[in-house]
mmCIF file of all heavy atoms in Angstrom:
data_model
loop_
_atom_site.group_PDB
_atom_site.id
_atom_site.type_symbol
_atom_site.label_atom_id
_atom_site.label_comp_id
_atom_site.label_asym_id
_atom_site.label_seq_id
_atom_site.Cartn_x
_atom_site.Cartn_y
_atom_site.Cartn_z
ATOM 1 N N ALA A 24 88.937 99.918 95.984
ATOM 2 C CA ALA A 24 89.034 101.379 96.048
ATOM 3 C C ALA A 24 87.641 101.967 96.289
ATOM 4 O O ALA A 24 87.583 102.952 97.055
ATOM 5 C CB ALA A 24 89.664 101.949 94.795
ATOM 6 N N SER A 25 86.621 101.396 95.663
ATOM 7 C CA SER A 25 85.274 101.865 95.860
ATOM 8 C C SER A 25 84.871 101.841 97.321
ATOM 9 O O SER A 25 84.350 102.810 97.877
ATOM 10 C CB SER A 25 84.255 101.158 95.091
ATOM 11 O OG SER A 25 84.480 101.384 93.695
ATOM 12 N N LEU A 26 85.132 100.628 98.013
ATOM 13 C CA LEU A 26 84.752 100.522 99.465
ATOM 14 C C LEU A 26 85.576 101.347 100.288
ATOM 15 O O LEU A 26 85.048 102.014 101.250
ATOM 16 C CB LEU A 26 84.832 99.096 99.862
ATOM 17 C CG LEU A 26 83.579 98.217 99.559
ATOM 18 C CD1 LEU A 26 83.595 97.764 98.075
ATOM 19 C CD2 LEU A 26 83.482 97.044 100.518
ATOM 20 N N LEU A 27 86.878 101.531 100.017
ATOM 21 C CA LEU A 27 87.785 102.361 100.793
ATOM 22 C C LEU A 27 87.340 103.859 100.737
ATOM 23 O O LEU A 27 87.272 104.534 101.711
ATOM 24 C CB LEU A 27 89.169 102.199 100.287
ATOM 25 C CG LEU A 27 89.928 100.880 100.654
ATOM 26 C CD1 LEU A 27 91.221 100.849 99.853
ATOM 27 C CD2 LEU A 27 90.222 100.835 102.122
ATOM 28 N N ALA A 28 86.905 104.305 99.535
ATOM 29 C CA ALA A 28 86.602 105.708 99.324
ATOM 30 C C ALA A 28 85.245 106.059 99.990
ATOM 31 O O ALA A 28 84.914 107.200 100.244
ATOM 32 C CB ALA A 28 86.513 106.027 97.815
ATOM 33 N N GLU A 29 84.470 105.011 100.278
ATOM 34 C CA GLU A 29 83.108 105.263 100.944
ATOM 35 C C GLU A 29 83.239 105.043 102.380
ATOM 36 O O GLU A 29 82.306 105.113 103.110
ATOM 37 C CB GLU A 29 82.128 104.300 100.337
ATOM 38 C CG GLU A 29 81.763 104.596 98.929
ATOM 39 C CD GLU A 29 80.742 103.721 98.208
ATOM 40 O OE1 GLU A 29 79.831 103.155 99.027
ATOM 41 O OE2 GLU A 29 80.860 103.318 97.073
ATOM 42 N N GLY A 30 84.504 104.742 102.906
ATOM 43 C CA GLY A 30 84.678 104.568 104.295
ATOM 44 C C GLY A 30 84.076 103.306 104.924
ATOM 45 O O GLY A 30 83.779 103.138 106.062
ATOM 46 N N LEU A 31 84.162 102.212 104.011
ATOM 47 C CA LEU A 31 83.490 100.950 104.425
ATOM 48 C C LEU A 31 84.583 99.830 104.594
ATOM 49 O O LEU A 31 84.211 98.730 104.881
ATOM 50 C CB LEU A 31 82.593 100.446 103.305
ATOM 51 C CG LEU A 31 81.340 101.332 103.175
ATOM 52 C CD1 LEU A 31 80.450 100.840 102.043
ATOM 53 C CD2 LEU A 31 80.540 101.560 104.445
ATOM 54 N N GLY A 32 85.850 100.268 104.738
ATOM 55 C CA GLY A 32 86.921 99.425 105.022
ATOM 56 C C GLY A 32 88.204 100.162 105.231
ATOM 57 O O GLY A 32 88.241 101.337 105.078
ATOM 58 N N TYR A 33 89.187 99.430 105.860
ATOM 59 C CA TYR A 33 90.542 100.013 106.123
ATOM 60 C C TYR A 33 91.514 99.540 105.066
ATOM 61 O O TYR A 33 91.475 98.450 104.598
ATOM 62 C CB TYR A 33 91.033 99.572 107.421
ATOM 63 C CG TYR A 33 90.082 99.981 108.635
ATOM 64 C CD1 TYR A 33 89.249 99.042 109.281
ATOM 65 C CD2 TYR A 33 90.012 101.322 108.978
ATOM 66 C CE1 TYR A 33 88.420 99.438 110.294
ATOM 67 C CE2 TYR A 33 89.229 101.668 110.042
ATOM 68 C CZ TYR A 33 88.430 100.797 110.679
ATOM 69 O OH TYR A 33 87.605 101.148 111.648
ATOM 70 N N PHE A 34 92.355 100.438 104.592
ATOM 71 C CA PHE A 34 93.425 100.171 103.858
ATOM 72 C C PHE A 34 94.485 99.320 104.559
ATOM 73 O O PHE A 34 94.859 99.604 105.707
ATOM 74 C CB PHE A 34 94.131 101.423 103.188
ATOM 75 C CG PHE A 34 95.544 101.311 102.790
ATOM 76 C CD1 PHE A 34 95.744 100.719 101.584
ATOM 77 C CD2 PHE A 34 96.647 101.716 103.594
ATOM 78 C CE1 PHE A 34 97.061 100.569 101.107
ATOM 79 C CE2 PHE A 34 97.957 101.583 103.060
ATOM 80 C CZ PHE A 34 98.202 100.926 101.862
ATOM 81 N N VAL A 35 94.950 98.265 103.827
ATOM 82 C CA VAL A 35 96.063 97.439 104.394
ATOM 83 C C VAL A 35 96.914 97.012 103.242
ATOM 84 O O VAL A 35 96.480 96.913 102.047
ATOM 85 C CB VAL A 35 95.490 96.113 105.059
ATOM 86 C CG1 VAL A 35 94.746 96.436 106.460
ATOM 87 C CG2 VAL A 35 94.642 95.302 104.130
ATOM 88 N N VAL A 36 98.115 96.712 103.508
ATOM 89 C CA VAL A 36 99.071 96.277 102.515
ATOM 90 C C VAL A 36 100.054 95.261 103.221
ATOM 91 O O VAL A 36 100.625 95.718 104.181
ATOM 92 C CB VAL A 36 99.849 97.474 101.753
ATOM 93 C CG1 VAL A 36 100.455 98.419 102.748
ATOM 94 C CG2 VAL A 36 100.727 96.849 100.745
ATOM 95 N N VAL A 37 100.203 94.179 102.553
ATOM 96 C CA VAL A 37 101.155 93.169 103.045
ATOM 97 C C VAL A 37 102.022 92.743 101.917
ATOM 98 O O VAL A 37 101.442 92.178 100.907
ATOM 99 C CB VAL A 37 100.378 91.913 103.581
ATOM 100 C CG1 VAL A 37 101.363 90.864 104.140
ATOM 101 C CG2 VAL A 37 99.386 92.268 104.769
ATOM 102 N N ARG A 38 103.274 92.918 102.065
ATOM 103 C CA ARG A 38 104.216 92.589 100.972
ATOM 104 C C ARG A 38 104.061 91.072 100.650
ATOM 105 O O ARG A 38 103.929 90.293 101.551
ATOM 106 C CB ARG A 38 105.660 92.929 101.318
ATOM 107 C CG ARG A 38 105.933 94.401 101.420
ATOM 108 C CD ARG A 38 107.427 94.629 101.844
ATOM 109 N NE ARG A 38 108.252 94.231 100.788
ATOM 110 C CZ ARG A 38 109.552 93.706 100.944
ATOM 111 N NH1 ARG A 38 109.915 93.507 102.229
ATOM 112 N NH2 ARG A 38 110.211 93.296 100.021
ATOM 113 N N PRO A 39 104.259 90.685 99.402
ATOM 114 C CA PRO A 39 104.691 91.475 98.262
ATOM 115 C C PRO A 39 103.429 92.048 97.456
ATOM 116 O O PRO A 39 103.726 92.628 96.410
ATOM 117 C CB PRO A 39 105.374 90.436 97.335
ATOM 118 C CG PRO A 39 104.652 89.195 97.645
ATOM 119 C CD PRO A 39 104.260 89.200 99.059
ATOM 120 N N ASN A 40 102.262 91.911 98.043
ATOM 121 C CA ASN A 40 101.067 92.350 97.233
ATOM 122 C C ASN A 40 100.794 93.815 97.433
ATOM 123 O O ASN A 40 99.893 94.287 98.147
ATOM 124 C CB ASN A 40 99.825 91.531 97.664
ATOM 125 C CG ASN A 40 99.987 90.009 97.314
ATOM 126 O OD1 ASN A 40 100.791 89.750 96.422
ATOM 127 N ND2 ASN A 40 99.207 89.187 97.868
ATOM 128 N N ALA A 41 101.604 94.708 96.735
ATOM 129 C CA ALA A 41 101.547 96.090 97.040
ATOM 130 C C ALA A 41 101.375 96.912 95.734
ATOM 131 O O ALA A 41 101.621 98.161 95.716
ATOM 132 C CB ALA A 41 102.862 96.567 97.747
ATOM 133 N N ALA A 42 100.875 96.325 94.743
ATOM 134 C CA ALA A 42 100.757 96.910 93.393
ATOM 135 C C ALA A 42 99.920 98.210 93.415
ATOM 136 O O ALA A 42 100.216 99.154 92.741
ATOM 137 C CB ALA A 42 100.307 95.942 92.248
ATOM 138 N N LEU A 43 98.805 98.119 94.196
ATOM 139 C CA LEU A 43 97.851 99.299 94.265
ATOM 140 C C LEU A 43 97.912 99.988 95.578
ATOM 141 O O LEU A 43 96.961 100.734 95.986
ATOM 142 C CB LEU A 43 96.440 98.772 93.900
ATOM 143 C CG LEU A 43 96.201 98.212 92.552
ATOM 144 C CD1 LEU A 43 94.757 97.747 92.320
ATOM 145 C CD2 LEU A 43 96.607 99.145 91.371
ATOM 146 N N ALA A 44 98.960 99.783 96.289
ATOM 147 C CA ALA A 44 98.970 100.386 97.693
ATOM 148 C C ALA A 44 98.842 101.962 97.710
ATOM 149 O O ALA A 44 97.998 102.415 98.504
ATOM 150 C CB ALA A 44 100.339 99.992 98.371
ATOM 151 N N ALA A 45 99.480 102.547 96.852
ATOM 152 C CA ALA A 45 99.527 104.100 96.799
ATOM 153 C C ALA A 45 98.090 104.535 96.449
ATOM 154 O O ALA A 45 97.519 105.413 97.120
ATOM 155 C CB ALA A 45 100.461 104.687 95.842
ATOM 156 N N CYS A 46 97.524 103.912 95.458
ATOM 157 C CA CYS A 46 96.087 104.228 95.030
ATOM 158 C C CYS A 46 95.031 103.876 96.109
ATOM 159 O O CYS A 46 94.145 104.738 96.464
ATOM 160 C CB CYS A 46 95.812 103.554 93.779
ATOM 161 S SG CYS A 46 94.142 103.793 93.186
ATOM 162 N N HIS A 47 95.199 102.762 96.831
ATOM 163 C CA HIS A 47 94.270 102.437 97.899
ATOM 164 C C HIS A 47 94.368 103.317 99.046
ATOM 165 O O HIS A 47 93.461 103.735 99.639
ATOM 166 C CB HIS A 47 94.565 100.995 98.228
ATOM 167 C CG HIS A 47 93.945 99.935 97.382
ATOM 168 N ND1 HIS A 47 94.302 98.632 97.375
ATOM 169 C CD2 HIS A 47 93.042 100.108 96.339
ATOM 170 C CE1 HIS A 47 93.725 98.016 96.441
ATOM 171 N NE2 HIS A 47 92.902 98.883 95.714
ATOM 172 N N LEU A 48 95.653 103.740 99.422
ATOM 173 C CA LEU A 48 95.816 104.713 100.473
ATOM 174 C C LEU A 48 95.151 106.034 100.215
ATOM 175 O O LEU A 48 94.591 106.510 101.113
ATOM 176 C CB LEU A 48 97.363 104.872 100.767
ATOM 177 C CG LEU A 48 97.701 105.755 101.844
ATOM 178 C CD1 LEU A 48 97.073 105.384 103.228
ATOM 179 C CD2 LEU A 48 99.191 105.887 102.015
ATOM 180 N N LEU A 49 95.275 106.510 99.005
ATOM 181 C CA LEU A 49 94.622 107.772 98.570
ATOM 182 C C LEU A 49 93.088 107.608 98.655
ATOM 183 O O LEU A 49 92.456 108.514 99.175
ATOM 184 C CB LEU A 49 95.068 108.156 97.282
ATOM 185 C CG LEU A 49 94.596 109.498 96.715
ATOM 186 C CD1 LEU A 49 94.932 110.600 97.650
ATOM 187 C CD2 LEU A 49 95.077 109.792 95.329
ATOM 188 N N ALA A 50 92.629 106.498 98.239
ATOM 189 C CA ALA A 50 91.162 106.288 98.319
ATOM 190 C C ALA A 50 90.639 106.292 99.888
ATOM 191 O O ALA A 50 89.629 107.005 100.141
ATOM 192 C CB ALA A 50 90.792 104.882 97.774
ATOM 193 N N GLU A 51 91.446 105.714 100.755
ATOM 194 C CA GLU A 51 91.065 105.699 102.136
ATOM 195 C C GLU A 51 91.138 107.175 102.705
ATOM 196 O O GLU A 51 90.310 107.550 103.457
ATOM 197 C CB GLU A 51 91.879 104.795 102.892
ATOM 198 C CG GLU A 51 91.518 104.786 104.376
ATOM 199 C CD GLU A 51 92.554 104.223 105.327
ATOM 200 O OE1 GLU A 51 93.579 104.930 105.564
ATOM 201 O OE2 GLU A 51 92.361 103.100 105.716
ATOM 202 N N ARG A 52 92.198 107.800 102.247
ATOM 203 C CA ARG A 52 92.473 109.170 102.823
ATOM 204 C C ARG A 52 91.364 110.102 102.475
ATOM 205 O O ARG A 52 90.926 110.900 103.239
ATOM 206 C CB ARG A 52 93.878 109.738 102.231
ATOM 207 C CG ARG A 52 94.239 110.962 102.830
ATOM 208 C CD ARG A 52 95.680 111.395 102.412
ATOM 209 N NE ARG A 52 96.575 110.420 102.807
ATOM 210 C CZ ARG A 52 97.806 110.160 102.246
ATOM 211 N NH1 ARG A 52 98.106 110.957 101.145
ATOM 212 N NH2 ARG A 52 98.619 109.317 102.742
ATOM 213 N N SER A 53 90.798 109.954 101.213
ATOM 214 C CA SER A 53 89.631 110.756 100.846
ATOM 215 C C SER A 53 88.389 110.527 101.767
ATOM 216 O O SER A 53 87.748 111.522 102.195
ATOM 217 C CB SER A 53 89.227 110.456 99.428
ATOM 218 O OG SER A 53 88.709 109.225 99.266
ATOM 219 N N ALA A 54 88.147 109.344 102.127
ATOM 220 C CA ALA A 54 87.106 109.028 103.035
ATOM 221 C C ALA A 54 87.367 109.468 104.518
ATOM 222 O O ALA A 54 86.556 110.085 105.145
ATOM 223 C CB ALA A 54 86.776 107.535 103.091
ATOM 224 N N ARG A 55 88.583 109.381 104.863
ATOM 225 C CA ARG A 55 89.010 109.811 106.208
ATOM 226 C C ARG A 55 88.879 111.408 106.264
ATOM 227 O O ARG A 55 88.310 111.938 107.271
ATOM 228 C CB ARG A 55 90.492 109.413 106.407
ATOM 229 C CG ARG A 55 90.969 109.695 107.832
ATOM 230 C CD ARG A 55 92.307 108.959 107.995
ATOM 231 N NE ARG A 55 92.748 109.043 109.399
ATOM 232 C CZ ARG A 55 93.775 108.369 109.960
ATOM 233 N NH1 ARG A 55 94.476 107.606 109.153
ATOM 234 N NH2 ARG A 55 94.097 108.555 111.259
ATOM 235 N N GLU A 56 89.320 112.139 105.325
ATOM 236 C CA GLU A 56 89.167 113.575 105.339
ATOM 237 C C GLU A 56 87.775 114.007 105.277
ATOM 238 O O GLU A 56 87.386 115.085 105.815
ATOM 239 C CB GLU A 56 89.967 114.154 104.227
ATOM 240 C CG GLU A 56 91.525 113.964 104.367
ATOM 241 C CD GLU A 56 92.288 114.454 103.124
ATOM 242 O OE1 GLU A 56 91.655 114.877 102.143
ATOM 243 O OE2 GLU A 56 93.562 114.399 103.254
ATOM 244 N N ALA A 57 86.872 113.272 104.608
ATOM 245 C CA ALA A 57 85.502 113.597 104.539
ATOM 246 C C ALA A 57 84.665 113.026 105.600
ATOM 247 O O ALA A 57 83.396 113.284 105.722
ATOM 248 C CB ALA A 57 84.966 113.116 103.089
ATOM 249 N N ARG A 58 85.259 112.272 106.454
ATOM 250 C CA ARG A 58 84.690 111.616 107.647
ATOM 251 C C ARG A 58 83.398 110.805 107.176
ATOM 252 O O ARG A 58 82.412 110.856 107.729
ATOM 253 C CB ARG A 58 84.211 112.705 108.693
ATOM 254 C CG ARG A 58 85.365 113.399 109.266
ATOM 255 C CD ARG A 58 84.988 114.266 110.408
ATOM 256 N NE ARG A 58 86.204 114.832 111.074
ATOM 257 C CZ ARG A 58 86.167 115.618 112.163
ATOM 258 N NH1 ARG A 58 84.938 115.896 112.731
ATOM 259 N NH2 ARG A 58 87.247 116.141 112.663
ATOM 260 N N LEU A 59 83.677 109.861 106.231
ATOM 261 C CA LEU A 59 82.634 108.987 105.667
ATOM 262 C C LEU A 59 82.838 107.653 106.372
ATOM 263 O O LEU A 59 83.879 107.178 106.729
ATOM 264 C CB LEU A 59 82.877 108.781 104.194
ATOM 265 C CG LEU A 59 82.823 110.051 103.290
ATOM 266 C CD1 LEU A 59 83.135 109.639 101.870
ATOM 267 C CD2 LEU A 59 81.455 110.692 103.428
ATOM 268 N N GLY A 60 81.606 106.979 106.567
ATOM 269 C CA GLY A 60 81.574 105.655 107.087
ATOM 270 C C GLY A 60 82.318 105.499 108.369
ATOM 271 O O GLY A 60 82.035 106.109 109.432
ATOM 272 N N LEU A 61 83.350 104.570 108.419
ATOM 273 C CA LEU A 61 84.100 104.294 109.673
ATOM 274 C C LEU A 61 84.841 105.416 110.161
ATOM 275 O O LEU A 61 85.227 105.395 111.333
ATOM 276 C CB LEU A 61 85.125 103.200 109.179
ATOM 277 C CG LEU A 61 84.631 101.819 108.819
ATOM 278 C CD1 LEU A 61 85.653 101.079 108.097
ATOM 279 C CD2 LEU A 61 84.168 101.118 110.164
ATOM 280 N N TRP A 62 84.968 106.503 109.334
ATOM 281 C CA TRP A 62 85.732 107.704 109.783
ATOM 282 C C TRP A 62 84.863 108.815 110.346
ATOM 283 O O TRP A 62 85.380 109.891 110.688
ATOM 284 C CB TRP A 62 86.554 108.249 108.670
ATOM 285 C CG TRP A 62 87.454 107.211 108.048
ATOM 286 C CD1 TRP A 62 87.243 106.389 106.965
ATOM 287 C CD2 TRP A 62 88.689 106.707 108.620
ATOM 288 N NE1 TRP A 62 88.307 105.512 106.765
ATOM 289 C CE2 TRP A 62 89.203 105.774 107.786
ATOM 290 C CE3 TRP A 62 89.493 107.108 109.775
ATOM 291 C CZ2 TRP A 62 90.400 105.082 108.030
ATOM 292 C CZ3 TRP A 62 90.662 106.402 109.986
ATOM 293 C CH2 TRP A 62 91.178 105.426 109.095
ATOM 294 N N ARG A 63 83.515 108.565 110.490
ATOM 295 C CA ARG A 63 82.715 109.598 111.167
ATOM 296 C C ARG A 63 83.200 109.812 112.589
ATOM 297 O O ARG A 63 83.128 110.947 113.097
ATOM 298 C CB ARG A 63 81.297 109.013 111.177
ATOM 299 C CG ARG A 63 80.545 108.991 109.870
ATOM 300 C CD ARG A 63 79.181 108.418 109.993
ATOM 301 N NE ARG A 63 78.579 108.195 108.676
ATOM 302 C CZ ARG A 63 77.378 107.701 108.465
ATOM 303 N NH1 ARG A 63 76.708 107.141 109.480
ATOM 304 N NH2 ARG A 63 76.961 107.459 107.249
ATOM 305 N N GLN A 64 83.609 108.831 113.232
ATOM 306 C CA GLN A 64 84.274 108.895 114.571
ATOM 307 C C GLN A 64 85.643 108.193 114.410
ATOM 308 O O GLN A 64 85.755 107.089 113.876
ATOM 309 C CB GLN A 64 83.453 108.340 115.689
ATOM 310 C CG GLN A 64 82.190 109.016 115.969
ATOM 311 C CD GLN A 64 81.520 108.420 117.073
ATOM 312 O OE1 GLN A 64 81.596 107.346 117.422
ATOM 313 N NE2 GLN A 64 80.716 109.379 117.777
ATOM 314 N N SER A 65 86.694 108.797 114.779
ATOM 315 C CA SER A 65 88.064 108.223 114.616
ATOM 316 C C SER A 65 88.157 106.828 115.204
ATOM 317 O O SER A 65 87.865 106.645 116.363
ATOM 318 C CB SER A 65 89.126 109.112 115.233
ATOM 319 O OG SER A 65 90.399 108.439 115.038
ATOM 320 N N PRO A 66 88.481 105.899 114.457
ATOM 321 C CA PRO A 66 88.650 104.468 114.908
ATOM 322 C C PRO A 66 90.088 104.312 115.565
ATOM 323 O O PRO A 66 90.413 103.161 115.990
ATOM 324 C CB PRO A 66 88.557 103.682 113.713
ATOM 325 C CG PRO A 66 89.038 104.495 112.527
ATOM 326 C CD PRO A 66 88.663 105.885 112.960
ATOM 327 N N VAL A 67 90.938 105.264 115.598
ATOM 328 C CA VAL A 67 92.305 105.176 116.006
ATOM 329 C C VAL A 67 92.221 105.178 117.577
ATOM 330 O O VAL A 67 91.702 106.034 118.142
ATOM 331 C CB VAL A 67 93.195 106.320 115.531
ATOM 332 C CG1 VAL A 67 94.572 106.175 116.059
ATOM 333 C CG2 VAL A 67 93.207 106.373 113.952
ATOM 334 N N GLN A 68 92.921 104.162 118.073
ATOM 335 C CA GLN A 68 92.810 104.009 119.566
ATOM 336 C C GLN A 68 94.230 104.116 120.135
ATOM 337 O O GLN A 68 95.289 103.901 119.373
ATOM 338 C CB GLN A 68 92.250 102.723 119.990
ATOM 339 C CG GLN A 68 93.042 101.480 119.616
ATOM 340 C CD GLN A 68 92.274 100.191 120.074
ATOM 341 O OE1 GLN A 68 91.780 99.515 119.332
ATOM 342 N NE2 GLN A 68 92.474 99.956 121.398
ATOM 343 N N SER A 69 94.402 104.615 121.413
ATOM 344 C CA SER A 69 95.682 104.734 121.979
ATOM 345 C C SER A 69 96.328 103.312 122.192
ATOM 346 O O SER A 69 95.633 102.308 122.484
ATOM 347 C CB SER A 69 95.495 105.331 123.373
ATOM 348 O OG SER A 69 96.745 105.235 124.108
#
C-alpha cells in the first residue's frame, strides 16, 4: 500500500489472493488523483 500510494507501482489482483484488493485499489487511486509517480502522465494507452 505504501508503494501504491506513492505512485511507484500498479494495483493488481489475481484470484484467489484478493484479501486486500479494496484497500490496495484505494491506495492507488489516491496516487492517481494526486498525479504522483507513475501517474504524473497517464500510463493508460489505447
